[in-house]
């Protein structure tokens, strides 16, 4: 998993607003952009990374070799304006440059919206429940922009096999090798062959997975605007596409792991200090009690360690530098405390909230 800086680098941007972000957050809804290398023509042209709007028909589709920026704007009740959540999503195979630019663009979008958004760091397969809720399904596809992806017609389509995984919040579909031996009786699979889309169900897959796979099959077919249809997994064409037969199917494999829920009794609070010139995290004792918002000091920055997720809370009196380096601070904390670098991270300014924050500081 790439480790990214929080504020980008010289190649990430020149300080001028990115025209691709124009109008972002003006109305309620969902916006998605992909990080792209805008390398100029000619030998030796320097890379200039930016973002490009992702087609709405592909919302929920993520390439493992890419990074994405996602903005969710929600209308508050009683004419209260819009609340914004900015997520940057990192594929397991994206480059360090792409990860850096994604984080930089999240900060840029935050600035564009006058600091109103809550920032979230998301990683492939470990997305927060809030992020998952934005999409009917999540599909992880191999490759990325560097692999030369471009829009193709159903006749030209590269066939893909997806393994459908159970999740509480949405469907996760992971691309797997186009081989009959990829199938096993513990899961449901969807074969997208362009004009034919098949759903195959293992003997021991759950009713939930069966339903989710059927829904994903229908979503793909509907998205082809009449140029694709549901295929029958009993047809010879299904097995020909996979280069095998039913005898190649493996016994059930039960290796599904759900994301852990937040346990408020196991959350720890740390106060950030750099008074000595070196970043230090001082544990704040809670006296054996669950954390209380009253423990947060407006003049400081705090880290809330929820084991399976991390929150950076920025007090109103903290410095501009502390605000700008919030995501980098979170990454430093994860590394020093032995937490996986794919751990979801929220950056919250005083007065803001998020689903994760509310699950820790329950009223």
């Amino acid at each position: 998993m790439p480790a990214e800086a929080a504020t980008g680098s010289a190649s990430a941007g020149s300080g001028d607003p990115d025209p691709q972000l124009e109008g972002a957050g003006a109305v309620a809804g969902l916006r998605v952009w992909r990080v792209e290398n805008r390398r100029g023509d000619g030998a030796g042209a320097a890379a200039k990374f930016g973002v490009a709007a992702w087609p709405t028909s592909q919302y929920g589709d993520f390439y493992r070799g890419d990074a994405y920026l996602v903005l969710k704007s929600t209308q508050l009740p009683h004419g209260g304006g819009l609340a914004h959540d900015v997520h940057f999503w990192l594929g397991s195979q994206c480059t360090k440059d792409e990860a850096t630019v994604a984080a930089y663009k999240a900060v840029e979008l935050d600035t564009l919206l006058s600091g109103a958004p809550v920032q979230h760091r998301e990683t492939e397969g470990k997305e927060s429940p809030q992020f998952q809720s934005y999409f009917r399904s999540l599909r992880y596809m191999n490759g990325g922009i560097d692999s030369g992806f471009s829009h193709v017609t159903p006749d030209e389509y590269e066939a893909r096999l997806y393994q459908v995984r159970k999740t509480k919040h949405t469907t996760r579909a992971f691309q797997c090798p186009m081989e009959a031996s990829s199938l096993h009786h513990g899961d449901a699979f969807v074969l997208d062959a362009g004009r034919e889309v098949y759903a195959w169900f293992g003997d021991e897959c759950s009713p939930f997975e069966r339903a989710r796979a059927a829904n994903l099959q229908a979503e793909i077919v509907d998205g082809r605007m009449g140029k694709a249809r549901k295929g029958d997994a009993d047809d010879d064409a299904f097995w020909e596409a996979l280069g095998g037969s039913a005898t190649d199917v493996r016994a059930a494999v039960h290796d599904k792991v759900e994301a852990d829920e937040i346990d408020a009794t196991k959350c720890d609070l740390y106060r950030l200090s750099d008074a000595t010139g070196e970043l230090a995290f001082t544990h704040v004792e809670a006296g054996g009690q669950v954390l209380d918002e009253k423990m947060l000091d407006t003049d400081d920055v705090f880290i809330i360690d929820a084991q399976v997720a991390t929150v950076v809370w920025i007090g109103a009196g903290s410095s501009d530098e502390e605000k700008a380096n919030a995501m980098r601070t979170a990454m430093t904390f994860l590394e020093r405390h032995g937490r996986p670098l794919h751990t979801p991270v929220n950056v919250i300014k005083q007065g803001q909230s998020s689903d994760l924050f509310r699950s820790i500081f329950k009223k």
Side-chain angles (χ1 to χ4, degrees):
M1 179 63 61
E4 70 283 353
T7 56
S9 62
S11 62
S14 62
D16 296 326
D18 192 325
Q20 289 288 331
L21 300 179
E22 184 177 354
V27 296
L30 188 67
R31 297 279 302 275
V32 181
W33 299 264
R34 178 168 69 169
V35 172
E36 297 191 351
N37 179 351
R38 301 173 182 170
R39 185 180 296 277
D41 296 330
K48 182 179 180 181
F49 287 93
V51 294
W54 193 235
T56 55
S57 62
Q58 293 180 254
Y59 279 14
D61 290 354
F62 295 94
Y63 281 85
R64 287 170 162 158
D66 287 333
Y68 296 79
L69 187 66
V70 176
L71 171 65
K72 175 65 172 178
S73 300
T74 305
Q75 181 66 56
L76 295 174
H78 311 300
L82 294 172
H84 306 286
D85 288 273
V86 174
H87 305 250
F88 63 97
W89 183 95
L90 306 179
S92 59
Q93 299 165 11
C94 78
T95 66
K96 185 175 181 179
D97 280 344
E98 289 169 327
T100 298
V101 173
Y104 175 90
K105 289 297 179 181
V107 173
E108 183 177 333
L109 193 50
D110 181 274
T111 302
L112 183 67
L113 295 172
S114 303
V118 174
Q119 293 183 46
H120 310 254
R121 178 183 182 271
E122 311 280 355
T123 57
E124 177 191 321
K126 300 294 181 180
E127 295 87 356
S128 65
Q130 182 174 343
F131 185 86
Q132 293 179 52
S133 71
Y134 301 156
F135 307 97
R136 293 178 63 186
S137 63
L138 295 176
R139 279 186 285 176
Y140 309 108
M141 297 173 291
N142 297 334
I145 190 169
D146 286 338
S147 65
F149 165 76
S150 60
H151 179 71
V152 295
T153 66
D155 284 332
E156 302 169 329
Y157 195 82
E158 176 188 351
R160 296 186 177 97
L161 179 66
Y162 296 100
Q163 181 177 11
V164 178
R165 291 295 185 93
K166 181 179 180 180
T167 170
K168 292 181 179 178
H169 306 281
T170 190
T171 302
R172 278 197 176 105
F174 296 84
Q175 187 178 347
C176 51
M178 276 285 296
E179 301 170 356
S181 59
S182 292
L183 306 178
H184 68 80
H185 282 293
D187 273 326
F189 293 77
V190 172
L191 170 59
D192 180 3
R195 290 197 176 275
E196 303 280 344
V197 183
Y198 305 87
W200 183 91
F201 310 111
D203 292 342
E204 298 179 30
C205 77
S206 69
F208 179 94
E209 287 168 331
R210 180 181 289 268
R212 290 288 192 174
N215 287 343
L216 178 57
Q217 179 192 29
E219 287 177 24
I220 295 173
V221 170
D222 291 345
R224 299 276 156 80
M225 306 296 289
K227 295 184 178 181
R229 68 181 183 88
K230 296 180 182 179
D232 187 340
D234 291 329
D235 289 349
D236 291 341
F238 174 78
W239 297 106
E240 289 172 2
L242 295 178
S245 68
T247 60
D248 296 311
V249 177
R250 294 175 292 139
V253 177
H254 299 290
D255 60 352
K256 294 178 280 293
V257 178
E258 268 298 287
D260 294 316
E261 299 295 333
I262 301 297
D263 184 344
T265 66
K266 296 182 180 179
C267 295
D268 290 307
L269 183 65
Y270 295 84
R271 186 190 302 266
L272 172 66
S273 172
D274 58 357
T276 63
E278 183 176 345
L279 204 59
F281 302 98
T282 303
H283 186 250
V284 178
E285 293 294 338
Q289 303 296 314
V290 296
L291 300 182
D292 190 302
E293 281 191 64
K294 295 178 181 178
M295 301 171 69
L296 302 174
D297 187 332
T298 189
D299 292 324
D300 287 316
V301 174
F302 290 83
I303 295 281
I304 301 119
D305 178 15
Q307 309 295 318
V308 297
T310 299
V311 175
V312 183
W313 185 89
I314 304 173
S318 60
S319 68
D320 290 340
E321 183 177 0
E322 288 173 325
K323 294 174 183 176
N325 289 328
M327 195 61 71
R328 182 179 297 171
T329 297
M331 299 307 298
T332 300
F333 178 87
L334 294 177
E335 291 174 354
R336 290 190 186 176
H337 289 77
R339 298 281 184 257
L341 293 182
H342 59 63
T343 301
V345 175
N346 279 194
V347 174
I348 294 182
K349 305 176 187 71
Q350 184 174 354
Q352 294 179 331
S353 188
S354 70
D355 290 350
L356 175 57
F357 188 80
R358 286 187 291 271
S359 67
I360 296 170
F361 296 100
K362 296 179 180 178
K363 298 292 187 179

